[in-house]
């Protein structure tokens, strides 16, 4: 049964849930073409997710907490995003962590609206707007440890910049341009300098949306007027056009991991009518596959991918639902959380499998942090149960471990598989 914590303005809602999973196999997945696990694959948690709803404090009387949305999650489980400021009706950037709770990010006094898009360690990036119309905004970098706020500015001739992603080296990706005459161009910001990548990407205009640990960037570009938008990979100074989603005519890269695997979305014709559909995609080593959508939803898109190749996003139509995709299987996140929550978007995932997005919660609309509930000790074969196959695996590894850091049957952590491990397995049988 779910466990519930008492909620106060400074205490997030907190639930745990275990339920059966609803899996949707990706149609048309080419044999052998799935997200390759260069690391240990982050499996969809068999125990479901522990859900933390991030509530803005103080509330907005008489309506209760104002809406919040989560856009970025760090490896430590800290979340950034935006909330609705009751005083002026504009969105403002926030950070939440288990240690600090809900923190409104400082911005220049003349700021009207802001949003935090990504977080890596103590570095937070986003954009603030001095006009309130979204046209005169500038990217920012904020350090939650030193409390230093840096406006990234823009390049000569530009009126705006948007910072969307940051890596552990402090490299920031986004786009800049002139909102009156254009064009929009991708930038990388490092060592206090904004560098224009537009010429090396090429085309009429381009926008960078995500950056990985090696400094590779994905986003979208248009080669010339009248051409469709296409996803790109920028790596070591060279641009690769990913082409359209299979059977479609456009694409957009939203997330990139350390292996230069890319997730995003593309537009394709609706076979049942004269309109169009939007589907999520996965790209790796020159090949793109259509991930489709959750059943009952005509449209969908991927927003992020972690280093294990796990993808998150959302499907929409008459309603909306967040999803997770792993090894050829798309799963509705609403099948993995308590019924008190309705996950309508999944916007980011870290390498421990934590996800942030937005959900309808008992108090309204709120950013959420989904934390995987670990499988039972003794589940050695990963089927979410402890049984005969797990016992056989344990017995097959009986004795000292050859590698203490990679000895799955060593349940008590003493670098040896023996009687204590057997007792732990039997204690979790079923």
């Amino acid at each position: 049964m779910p466990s519930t914590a008492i909620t106060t303005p400074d205490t997030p809602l907190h639930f745990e849930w275990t339920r059966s999973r609803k899996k949707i196999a990706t149609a048309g997945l080419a044999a052998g073409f799935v997200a390759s696990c260069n690391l240990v694959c982050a499996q969809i948690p068999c125990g479901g997710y522990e859900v933390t709803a991030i509530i803005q404090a103080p509330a907005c009387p008489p309506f209760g907490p104002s809406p919040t949305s989560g856009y970025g999650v760090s490896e430590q489980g800290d979340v950034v995003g935006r909330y609705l400021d009751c005083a002026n009706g504009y969105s403002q950037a926030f950070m939440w962590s288990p240690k600090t709770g809900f923190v409104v990010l400082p911005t220049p006094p003349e700021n009207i609206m802001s949003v935090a898009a990504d977080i890596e360690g103590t570095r937070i990036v986003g954009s603030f707007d001095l006009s309130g119309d979204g046209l005169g905004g500038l990217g920012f970098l904020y350090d939650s440890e030193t409390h230093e706020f840096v406006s990234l500015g823009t390049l000569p001739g530009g009126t705006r910049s948007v910072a969307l992603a940051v890596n552990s080296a402090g490299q920031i990706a986004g786009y800049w341009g002139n909102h009156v005459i254009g064009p929009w161009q991708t930038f990388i910001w490092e060592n206090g300098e904004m560098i224009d990548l537009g010429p090396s990407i090429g085309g009429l205009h381009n926008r960078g949306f995500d950056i990985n640990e090696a400094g590779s960037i994905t986003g979208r570009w248009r080669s010339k007027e009248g051409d469709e938008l296409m996803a790109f990979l920028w790596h070591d100074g060279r641009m690769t056009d990913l082409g359209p989603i299979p059977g479609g005519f456009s694409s957009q890269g939203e997330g990139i991991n350390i292996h230069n695997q890319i997730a995003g979305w593309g537009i394709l014709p609706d076979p049942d009518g004269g309109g169009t559909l939007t589907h999520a995609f996965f790209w790796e080593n020159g090949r793109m596959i259509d991930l489709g959508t959750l059943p009952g939803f005509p449209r969908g898109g991927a927003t992020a991918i972690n280093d294990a190749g796990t993808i998150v996003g959302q499907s929409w139509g008459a309603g909306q639902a967040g999803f997770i995709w792993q090894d050829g299987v798309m799963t509705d996140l609403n099948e993995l959380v308590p019924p008190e929550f309705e996950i309508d978007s999944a916007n980011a995932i870290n390498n421990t499998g934590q996800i942030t997005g937005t959900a309808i919660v008992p108090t309204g609309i709120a950013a959420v942090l989904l934390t995987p509930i670990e499988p039972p000790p003794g589940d050695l074969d990963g089927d979410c149960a402890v049984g005969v196959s797990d016992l056989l695996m344990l017995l097959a590894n009986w004795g000292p471990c050859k590698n203490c850091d990679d000895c799955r049957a060593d349940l008590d952590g003493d670098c040896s598989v023996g009687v204590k491990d057997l007792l732990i397995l039997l204690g979790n049988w079923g």
Side-chain angles (χ1 to χ4, degrees):
M1 294 296 293
S3 63
T4 308
I6 297 174
T7 305
T8 68
D10 296 311
T11 305
L13 296 176
H14 189 78
F15 292 84
E16 293 182 5
W17 183 247
T18 303
R19 70 195 320 193
S20 61
R21 289 181 290 143
K22 185 177 183 180
K23 300 181 180 180
I24 299 90
T26 301
L29 185 63
F33 184 65
V34 296
S36 59
C37 292
N38 296 4
L39 303 175
V40 176
C41 278
Q43 299 295 329
I44 296 172
C46 55
Y49 287 93
E50 174 186 286
V51 182
T52 302
I54 300 168
I55 308 300
Q56 181 245 359
C60 294
F63 305 107
S66 68
T68 59
S69 300
Y71 294 139
V73 57
S74 72
E75 299 301 331
Q76 295 74 38
D78 301 336
V79 173
V80 296
R82 66 179 179 180
Y83 74 98
L84 182 64
D85 186 344
C86 307
N88 64 14
Y90 288 101
S91 294
Q92 301 295 340
F94 78 84
M95 181 195 79
W96 175 91
S97 78
K99 294 181 179 179
T100 65
F102 193 95
V103 176
V104 178
L105 298 190
T107 53
E110 64 272 27
N111 170 65
I112 295 177
M113 59 188 295
S114 61
V115 59
D118 195 20
I119 179 171
E120 176 62 44
T122 63
R123 297 183 179 97
I124 301 170
V125 297
S127 302
F128 66 99
D129 192 349
L130 305 181
S131 64
D133 56 13
L135 300 178
L138 297 173
F140 71 79
L141 168 65
Y142 176 73
D143 192 302
S144 63
E145 184 174 51
T146 65
H147 305 294
E148 180 182 11
F149 181 94
V150 177
S151 171
L152 304 188
T154 188
L155 288 164
T159 60
R160 185 187 180 197
S161 65
V162 178
L164 293 173
V166 60
N167 63 18
S168 62
Q171 295 175 307
I172 300 170
Y175 58 92
W176 73 281
N178 187 301
H179 74 273
V180 177
I181 61 175
W184 298 111
Q185 305 276 17
T186 302
F187 73 77
I188 186 170
W189 190 93
E190 56 185 343
N191 301 320
E193 181 183 4
M194 183 178 289
I195 302 168
D196 184 11
L197 300 184
S200 64
I201 295 173
L204 182 66
H205 68 83
N206 51 78
R207 300 189 187 193
F209 293 145
D210 197 19
I211 187 169
N212 68 11
E213 287 298 290
S216 300
I217 294 172
T218 192
R220 74 183 191 196
W221 80 302
R222 174 172 280 145
S223 60
K224 62 181 184 296
E225 194 67 47
D227 283 0
E228 295 288 346
L229 292 166
M230 295 295 172
F232 71 81
L233 164 65
W234 183 86
H235 175 68
D236 287 341
R238 298 181 61 184
M239 191 277 278
T240 300
D241 185 340
L242 306 192
I245 193 169
F249 44 81
S250 73
S251 62
Q252 177 166 305
E254 292 281 352
I256 183 170
N257 68 13
I258 191 60
H259 313 298
N260 285 339
Q261 297 170 328
I262 293 172
W265 54 268
I267 300 176
L268 61 166
D270 184 351
D272 298 324
T276 60
L277 301 175
T278 306
H279 284 184
F281 75 75
F282 169 77
W283 183 93
E284 179 183 34
N285 296 328
R287 299 182 65 191
M288 183 185 292
I289 59 171
D290 180 353
L291 303 186
T293 66
L294 292 169
F297 294 94
R299 296 173 177 82
T303 52
I305 181 171
N306 68 10
D307 290 344
T310 304
I311 295 170
V312 295
Q314 44 271 340
S315 294
W316 63 89
Q320 187 165 310
F323 71 76
I324 182 169
W325 183 91
Q326 174 72 50
D327 291 339
V329 176
M330 183 179 287
T331 305
D332 187 338
L333 284 169
N334 290 291
E335 295 295 320
L336 301 171
V337 300
E340 290 87 349
F341 296 95
E342 182 180 334
I343 309 298
D344 62 15
S345 69
N347 297 322
I349 182 170
N350 65 18
N351 287 323
T352 64
Q354 290 178 301
I355 299 167
T356 192
T358 306
I360 299 174
V361 305
T363 58
I365 299 175
V368 288
L369 175 66
L370 310 184
T371 301
I373 297 173
E374 296 297 323
D379 177 22
L380 304 182
D381 61 1
D383 68 351
C384 299
V386 179
V388 174
S389 62
D390 304 296
L391 175 60
L392 293 175
M393 290 177 66
L394 185 143
L395 295 176
N397 289 275
W398 197 269
C401 297
K402 295 180 180 179
N403 182 350
C404 296
D405 295 326
D406 185 21
C407 189
R408 192 170 183 182
D410 175 23
L411 302 178
D412 64 353
D414 65 355
C415 199
S416 178
V417 180
V419 175
K420 291 183 180 178
D421 304 295
L422 176 61
L423 293 175
I424 292 173
L425 186 148
L426 294 176
N428 288 278
W429 194 270

